[in-house]
Structures are given as structure tokens and as C-alpha cells.
Amino acid sequence: MDKGKRRQLPTSGEFAVWRAHIETFEIARSRIESRLRKDSQLSDGDYRVLLSLSEAEGKAMRSSQLAAHLEWERSRLSGQLGRMEKRGLLRREPSPEDARGSLVILTDQGARAFRDSTLPHLAAIKEIFIDAFTPEQLANLEDAAAALRTHLGMPAR
């Protein structure tokens, strides 16, 4: 193999770091999502949509804007919104600016579900993720996440 091509691949040690990170993070994420569902009957998708809408001006967003914000395919968002609308967590209305688009609006029931889920969800994040690290390790994770976001061309948090 050409040496230039070989350098484009991770070393076995680098690949081991990648696998350890991904596998462990997925387990932690799965446990946090399970707690969210158990504590609040919300899925991770529900929570992410409710969080986005709760932070939006007027507690509403155009569906295309919401899809971009969540970095979801529009078909995935459409199915998610349909399930949430049936449960009364949000409603969709034609967009006043563009009849082809829709406005996704947080309902009072959705706002209440989000509020009621937040403290148990944050407690699960603390127990499962935060408590695993020292303050220095958390700072290193923050630096690593910032470096990766920059590398991926994403905005800083």
C-alpha cells in the first residue's frame, strides 16, 4: 500500500480509542434514554424536539428549520412529529410565511411534559455520565468535543 494512503488510515491504537469511545458512549446514551423513557414516557427524539421548541422564539419553529436544527432528515422528523402530535405534545399549522411549509408549535401539554421530564433526565445524565469523571477529566472532554466540533465545521457550544 502507498505510504500516503496508509497515513490516511488510523493506527491500531487510534482505532482502539475510537471503538472504546463509541461503544462506551452508546451504552451510556442508551442507559440515559432508558431512564428518560421510564421516568417520563418520552423518547430521546421526543425530548430533543420538545427542548428545541421550548427554546425557540414563540415556542414554535418551521418544520424545515427544526429538521436543520436537529440535523435530521425531513422524513424522520415528519414521523416523529406525527407521533408527538397524536399525543398532544405539539401541533402543526400551515406556515404564515409559506403555505408549502408548516409551523410546529409546542402545546401546553408538551411544555408540561418537557418540564416534568427535565429534572429526572438531568439526574440520569449526572449519575450515568458526569459522575464517572473528575472535574479535570470533564474539562478534557469539553476540550475534545470543542476540537471535534471545529474539525467538523460545527458551531461552538
Side-chain angles (χ1 to χ4, degrees):
M1 179 182 274
D2 176 336
K3 280 190 175 197
K5 292 260 188 223
R6 188 165 174 82
R7 282 188 230 190
Q8 292 177 1
L9 301 176
T11 65
S12 60
E14 291 166 340
F15 185 70
V17 170
W18 161 255
R19 276 195 66 186
H21 171 78
I22 291 299
E23 291 168 0
T24 306
F25 184 79
E26 286 301 320
I27 290 167
R29 184 175 166 164
S30 175
R31 289 182 185 181
I32 291 167
E33 288 176 15
S34 291
R35 285 272 298 273
L36 177 64
R37 189 172 294 282
K38 179 180 149 268
D39 293 341
S40 67
Q41 289 71 53
L42 294 176
S43 69
D44 182 61
D46 294 339
Y47 190 86
R48 291 182 64 193
V49 169
L50 293 174
L51 174 62
S52 296
L53 291 175
S54 73
E55 294 175 338
E57 185 177 326
K59 309 296 184 211
M61 293 176 87
R62 287 180 45 101
S63 60
S64 58
Q65 179 187 12
L66 183 56
H69 178 75
L70 295 170
E71 294 190 19
W72 287 2
E73 295 293 325
R74 292 188 68 175
S75 59
R76 176 182 178 188
L77 180 65
S78 180
Q80 179 72 44
L81 296 179
R83 290 186 296 277
M84 293 177 74
E85 192 169 28
K86 285 179 186 171
R87 292 168 38 220
L89 301 173
L90 56 84
R91 72 179 188 277
R92 290 183 279 188
E93 298 177 356
S95 173
E97 297 114 24
D98 179 2
R100 295 173 299 163
S102 65
L103 195 60
V104 182
I105 303 163
L106 184 65
T107 63
D108 290 343
Q109 183 177 342
R112 195 169 34 259
F114 177 72
R115 256 191 330 273
D116 292 348
S117 69
T118 298
L119 287 179
H121 187 51
L122 292 174
I125 291 168
K126 179 144 179 18
E127 291 168 25
I128 294 168
F129 183 76
I130 304 296
D131 288 350
F133 304 105
T134 65
E136 181 182 65
Q137 289 170 323
L138 278 173
N140 290 337
L141 284 172
E142 182 180 28
D143 290 345
L148 184 56
R149 290 182 72 81
T150 298
H151 178 74
L152 297 174
M154 298 171 67
R157 289 256 172 186

